[in-house]
Amino acid sequence: MSAEVVAEKMRGEAVVGLTLEMTAYIEGRAAARETMAYQWMPAEVWARIRHRGRNSLGLPDAHGIPDLVPVARMRPGAVGRHNPRNAILANPVHDAHGEISALTVIDTNHPSLFDHALDHVPGMLQFEAARQIAMAAANASLGLDTNRMVMHQLEIAFEDFGEFELETIARAVAEPDPKEDGAVIAVIRITQGDKAIASGRVHLRVMPVDIWTMVQ
């Protein structure tokens, strides 16, 4: 993997944020690229922002981890996964307008989606919820085989903190990509209550027919 700083965010003479362009290579070939903008702040400023945001939702300063409750998890194959633990959507609903929505399961013991302690729903979990709800929408709305689909591109903007104590719902409307036969564009939102905490678009492509698509 490689990472290159392509922009800096300054406050006075201090660097407080970076924009990175990153590439993952497999056997010398670029397999994935990501551009990410982020910034940091003193711990006391972070705490003040988090407390103010949580209090506005009627939540205490300190976050809590709700117990996992019984849910109807979606089948791994319906959301482009093999391992049942990696299927993180549950209780799906398909409304009259073609939107698919599903509860995002917050399992803080998951070894990769929660690889360190956090006080909010992490971006990595929201990335995966966006990918999976796009897959579910392509399956339910367009009848496509998600066993042969891959996420080709993801654009997402994080608009607010996701709180552990609130239900996190992934939503998507999928349409065929008018520029590419067999591809899908899904408009996604991750919501808590009436508020979107993230939104964006997922572009899915169908892998060519190959015997290896049948191997788990």
Side-chain angles (χ1 to χ4, degrees), residues 95-110:
D95 72 15
H97 304 289
E99 181 182 79
I100 304 293
S101 61
L103 175 69
T104 303
V105 176
I106 309 296
D107 177 6
T108 58
N109 292 315
H110 194 286

Side-chain angles (χ1 to χ4, degrees), residues 34-52:
E34 177 183 10
T35 300
M36 178 173 68
Y38 67 105
Q39 64 184 84
W40 51 89
M41 64 189 69
E44 62 273 16
V45 177
W46 172 268
R48 191 161 58 244
I49 290 172
R50 292 293 289 121
H51 294 168
R52 185 168 62 239

Side-chain angles (χ1 to χ4, degrees), residues 50 81 88-89 102 104-106 112-114 118-134 151 154-164 166-171 188-192 195-202:
R50 292 293 289 121
R81 286 295 179 203
I88 62 168
L89 299 183
T104 303
V105 176
I106 309 296
S112 58
L113 294 174
F114 286 88
L118 293 159
D119 69 351
H120 61 282
V121 179
M124 193 181 331
L125 186 74
Q126 295 182 56
F127 284 150
E128 183 59 16
R131 191 195 70 82
Q132 291 192 19
I133 199 65
M151 182 173 71
L154 167 66
E155 303 167 19
I156 193 167
F158 298 110
E159 300 165 30
D160 211 333
F161 287 99
E163 303 294 351
F164 288 133
L166 305 179
E167 281 195 340
T168 302
I169 307 296
R171 305 175 183 276
I188 63 94
R189 293 183 300 139
I190 312 295
T191 64
Q192 290 191 332
K195 180 172 60 177
I197 61 172
S199 60
R201 288 160 38 109
V202 177

Side-chain angles (χ1 to χ4, degrees), residues 73-90 92 100 102-103 127-140 144-151 170 204:
R73 285 213 193 202
M74 298 186 70
R75 291 184 297 100
V79 291
R81 286 295 179 203
H82 297 296
N83 187 332
R85 191 173 185 186
N86 293 333
I88 62 168
L89 299 183
I100 304 293
L103 175 69
F127 284 150
E128 183 59 16
R131 191 195 70 82
Q132 291 192 19
I133 199 65
M135 290 275 188
N139 188 320
L144 296 176
D145 179 5
T146 49
N147 289 309
R148 288 181 49 217
M149 300 202 80
V150 294
M151 182 173 71
L204 302 174

